[in-house]
Amino acid sequence: MSQTEIEIATQPDCWRQAVALARQPDGPAASLPRPGERVAVVGCGTSWFIAQAYAALRESGRHGETDAFPASEMPAGRAYDRVVALTRSGTTTEVLELLRRLQGRTPTTAVTAVPESPVRGPADAVVPLDFADETSVVQTRFASTELVLLRAHLGEDLGHLPRQGRSALDEPLPAGVLEAEQFTFLGQGWGYGIAQEAALKMREAASAWTEAYPVMEYRHGPISVTGPGRVAWWFGDPAALPSGLADDIARTGGQLVALGRDPLADLVVVHRLAAALASARGLDPDNPRHLTRSVILA
């Protein structure tokens, strides 16, 4: 069993701890955005996709205007009440540089797995998720746990989530996915950020050919890549799939996967698939080629 697979399997327990942390009235999560604040959420790689999901959830829940940016692309001079930086290691160059630029101008909160990392210097507040830290390069449990924390802080009732996560760990992988040559992940609202993250996990761990799109954009060109031996994977309730799309996918000869749990729980299935594909291809999911745990620029 790879270290990545071990970390994947601990996600439901980490989610419970994150919900408990969010409920502490005077705990570290108190430095997360308050209702009505105008917020930017930044990160790199996986953390950017989690930022997209959180921004969509915060806006759709009417908690306040929320933008998500790669840390290197946040517009200079745009006014926010708070900037939230998502960074597993607390060492990513682009995140640290942005936080230093914002010091004394905009309140900042960093969510990290390593609270004593360099991010503690330029960030005004740090929310530690050290119980979800990982040794493998590929992020799984930290990313999902930080989104659970953020969702719980928004007031979501996530009592169902650890149970769904456990079922996602225990059930067989969907038939045919281990043999597929290509995957297109689809989402809507905050599920689009999860689709982006699913595609990244498959690329990182298994060097798989993957794409991700908002579901309504899929028919505007991307569906042309779907066909026999290829998968379109929907994060959401199968009943919420846009009208006629299942038939459109069937006509291509491709396979539709729509598991129907909370998108974070269904992401766990993709984690398992990525690790299984990596092993089948003779790859090391703990140490993907060309990647390191954190990007630190000279």
Side-chain angles (χ1 to χ4, degrees):
M1 198 173 189
S2 68
Q3 181 62 29
T4 300
E5 290 171 301
I6 293 171
E7 291 164 357
I8 289 168
T10 62
Q11 288 181 96
D13 291 335
C14 289
W15 297 349
R16 290 187 184 93
Q17 293 184 68
V19 169
L21 180 63
R23 289 174 176 168
Q24 295 176 12
D26 298 317
S31 63
L32 291 171
R34 295 185 291 272
E37 287 187 329
R38 186 169 190 254
V39 173
V41 195
V42 302
C44 299
T46 284
S47 292
W48 177 36
F49 299 140
I50 299 301
Q52 291 178 5
Y54 172 57
L57 281 164
R58 192 169 184 271
E59 283 225 4
S60 65
R62 299 185 179 181
H63 297 278
E65 184 176 340
T66 315
D67 296 321
F69 302 107
S72 60
E73 296 294 326
M74 180 175 161
R78 189 173 291 184
Y80 291 98
D81 297 313
R82 179 168 298 276
V83 172
V84 178
L86 308 181
T87 169
R88 176 178 65 172
S89 69
T91 61
T92 304
T93 297
E94 299 99 302
V95 171
L96 294 175
E97 288 180 347
L98 175 61
L99 291 174
R100 291 184 188 113
R101 290 201 303 273
L102 294 172
Q103 274 186 299
R105 296 169 42 205
T106 304
T108 58
T109 298
V111 181
T112 183
V114 188
E116 300 305 322
S117 65
V119 79
R120 178 171 289 278
D124 295 314
V126 171
V127 181
L129 296 179
D130 46 338
F131 57 87
D133 198 5
E134 299 156 320
T135 59
S136 82
V137 169
V138 173
Q139 288 194 50
T140 55
R141 75 180 177 194
F142 175 74
S144 65
T145 299
E146 68 181 345
L147 186 53
V148 169
L149 172 84
L150 294 166
R151 291 174 66 185
H153 185 258
L154 292 176
E156 282 196 63
D157 180 1
L158 299 178
H160 66 285
L161 197 54
R163 182 178 64 256
Q164 288 194 6
R166 180 55 55 190
S167 71
L169 289 166
D170 293 341
E171 69 180 27
L173 292 173
V177 295
L178 278 170
E179 295 74 39
E181 65 171 357
Q182 189 274 340
F183 299 83
T184 300
F185 295 99
L186 306 172
Q188 190 168 43
W190 73 277
Y192 172 52
I194 300 302
Q196 291 266 54
E197 171 58 5
L200 180 63
K201 287 289 90 68
M202 295 281 284
R203 289 193 291 268
E204 289 178 330
S207 294
W209 173 15
T210 65
E211 302 177 15
Y213 300 96
V215 67
M216 293 303 291
E217 287 297 309
Y218 174 60
R219 282 183 281 206
H220 292 268
I223 193 172
S224 63
V225 80
T226 307
R230 299 178 181 180
V231 170
W233 192 304
W234 162 240
F235 285 98
D237 184 344
L241 198 67
S243 177
L245 186 57
D247 293 336
D248 292 342
I249 292 169
R251 279 192 288 271
T252 72
Q255 176 183 355
L256 173 63
V257 174
L259 302 177
R261 284 178 292 245
D262 185 289
L264 262 186
D266 283 343
L267 180 62
V268 173
V269 180
V270 178
H271 291 163
R272 292 176 52 218
L273 173 59
L277 278 176
S279 297
R281 296 175 178 184
L283 301 173
D284 180 0
D286 296 343
N287 298 287
R289 57 188 182 181
H290 316 310
L291 297 179
T292 57
R293 173 177 158 88
S294 173
V295 176
I296 303 173
L297 305 176

